[in-house]
C-alpha cells in the first residue's frame, strides 16, 4: 500500500480535515487511486456513522477483495461495510 506504508506526518499525509471518519474516507479514496490497473469509476466510498461504506461495481471478485483489504488496512477490519458487486462479464 502506498499511504499505509507512510508514517502520518504533516509533510506526507496532510488532508484538509481534522482526524476522523471523513479523513478515513479520504485516505481510502486516495489509496484506491494508487492501485495499479484499478478502475473505480463505478464505485463509491462513503461514510455511515463510524464506518466506511464501499458501494458499486468492480471488474471481478479479486477486485472486490482487493478494495476491501485496502479499506480494512486503513480504517480497521470491523469498520468496513462492502456492497461491492463483481461484474463477471468483464
Amino acid at each position: 500500500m502506498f499511504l499505509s506504508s507512510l508514517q502520518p506526518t504533516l509533510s506526507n499525509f496532510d488532508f484538509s480535515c481534522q482526524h476522523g471518519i471523513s479523513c478515513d474516507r479520504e485516505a481510502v479514496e486516495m489509496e484506491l487511486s494508487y492501485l495499479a490497473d484499478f478502475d473505480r469509476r463505478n464505485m463509491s466510498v462513503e461514510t455511515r456513522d463510524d464506518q466506511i461504506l464501499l458501494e458499486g461495481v468492480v471488474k471481478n471478485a479479486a477486485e472486490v477483495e482487493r478494495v476491501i483489504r485496502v479499506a480494512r488496512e486503513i480504517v480497521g477490519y470491523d469498520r468496513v461495510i462492502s456492497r461491492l458487486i463483481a461484474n463477471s462479464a468483464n
Side-chain angles (χ1 to χ4, degrees), residues 19-32:
H19 178 70
I21 191 68
S22 63
C23 280
D24 291 342
R25 181 185 52 79
E26 288 182 35
V28 171
E29 288 177 335
M30 184 65 73
E31 186 74 37
L32 292 176

Side-chain angles (χ1 to χ4, degrees), residues 21-88:
I21 191 68
S22 63
C23 280
D24 291 342
R25 181 185 52 79
E26 288 182 35
V28 171
E29 288 177 335
M30 184 65 73
E31 186 74 37
L32 292 176
S33 74
Y34 285 101
L35 291 179
D37 301 322
F38 179 69
D39 180 8
R40 62 165 292 213
R41 289 180 289 179
N42 295 319
M43 68 157 291
S44 65
V45 178
E46 301 297 331
T47 59
R48 176 176 282 175
D49 299 323
D50 191 33
Q51 297 179 318
I52 295 295
L53 175 62
L54 307 169
E55 287 188 299
V57 179
V58 294
K59 65 183 177 181
N60 56 42
E63 290 294 298
V64 170
E65 301 229 1
R66 189 177 180 196
V67 172
I68 293 170
R69 181 176 43 88
V70 165
R72 285 178 173 166
E73 284 185 10
I74 294 170
V75 301
Y77 184 88
D78 60 341
R79 291 184 54 217
V80 176
I81 299 170
S82 175
R83 292 184 180 163
L84 294 172
I85 298 170
N87 183 359
S88 59

Side-chain angles (χ1 to χ4, degrees), residues 1-13:
M1 302 286 114
F2 175 76
L3 291 176
S4 56
S5 65
L6 298 176
Q7 293 300 314
T9 66
L10 290 178
S11 63
N12 64 8
F13 196 74

